[in-house]
Amino acid sequence: MKKIEIPTQLSVYATLKELPADVQQLMQSAFTARDNAYAPYSNFQVGAAILMDNGEIITGSNQENASYPSGLCAERTAIYYAGAKYPNTGIKTMAISAKAMGKAITKPVPPCGACRQAIAEYEVKQKQSIALYFMGDSGEVFKSDSLENLLPLLFTQDYL
Ligand code: THU
């Protein structure tokens, strides 16, 4: 038996103001998208904004359903729309923010496992890393340079 270590790395920004100006702007788009969430069951609103290689910003928010599993997270809403609208354009960066009714969200909210898998699929497809910035409503912002940092041992088409 041997053990392997899989290193991972994140950058931590103390506040939104520490981010480069263009990323601050992208996060502002995630804030705006968040307000369009349809989240009557969880009251947890998530917004995602994607910067494409062509400069366009695509946004998404979580869309819930009375049949709970039929709902979709903000990140997948956004990235599937990006893939559907621009199948041949690279995805550069995604910014994510979440807020809740009656509770301050001050810790960075990472994408769920299913969203990580979905985002990673596009990273593999385009052979170009996707930078991910995520935060709550305020407080620290975490940055991952690639999905590989958030999803080690990624399942890809290579296994099929
Ligand atoms: N949610 C997202 O939109 N993104 C995530 O990565 C985590 C969870 C949504 C799904 C559901 O509408 C609500 O947040 C509570 O789980």
Side-chain angles (χ1 to χ4, degrees):
M1 194 276 272
K2 66 172 185 177
K3 291 197 177 179
I4 55 169
E5 269 185 39
I6 304 169
T8 189
Q9 199 179 53
L10 293 175
S11 309
V12 179
Y13 297 82
T15 69
L16 187 61
K17 292 200 171 82
E18 261 191 22
L19 295 172
D22 58 328
V23 184
Q24 283 190 41
Q25 215 182 325
L26 193 66
M27 194 57 89
Q28 288 295 342
S29 298
F31 288 173
T32 306
R34 210 174 54 178
D35 292 334
N36 291 337
Y38 175 61
Y41 304 106
S42 70
N43 287 318
F44 191 77
Q45 296 176 291
V46 186
I50 293 173
L51 175 65
M52 307 294 295
D53 276 344
N54 63 10
E56 191 164 327
I57 292 175
I58 303 277
T59 60
S61 55
N62 51 327
Q63 301 294 313
E64 297 185 349
N65 193 281
S67 171
Y68 293 176
S70 300
L72 196 66
C73 292
E75 296 89 328
R76 274 176 289 163
T77 303
I79 206 156
Y80 289 152
Y81 181 45
K85 192 170 183 200
Y86 295 115
N88 301 312
T89 305
I91 293 166
K92 250 194 200 9
T93 312
M94 183 187 275
I96 304 161
S97 169
K99 75 170 181 185
M101 209 92 88
K103 184 182 163 202
I105 307 288
T106 54
K107 279 190 199 158
V109 175
C112 76
C115 286
R116 292 179 205 196
Q117 179 71 30
I119 300 165
E121 178 76 22
Y122 289 89
E123 193 169 272
V124 172
K125 176 187 167 213
Q126 69 184 23
K127 300 186 184 74
Q128 173 190 314
S129 297
I130 299 174
L132 217 89
Y133 293 82
F134 51 97
M135 65 180 295
D137 192 15
S138 62
E140 287 181 339
V141 184
F142 284 2
K143 180 197 180 193
S144 171
D145 291 332
S146 158
L147 256 292
E148 279 177 25
N149 290 320
L150 295 179
L151 193 59
L153 299 182
L154 177 64
F155 179 80
T156 67
Q157 56 187 295
D158 294 346
Y159 294 102
L160 297 176

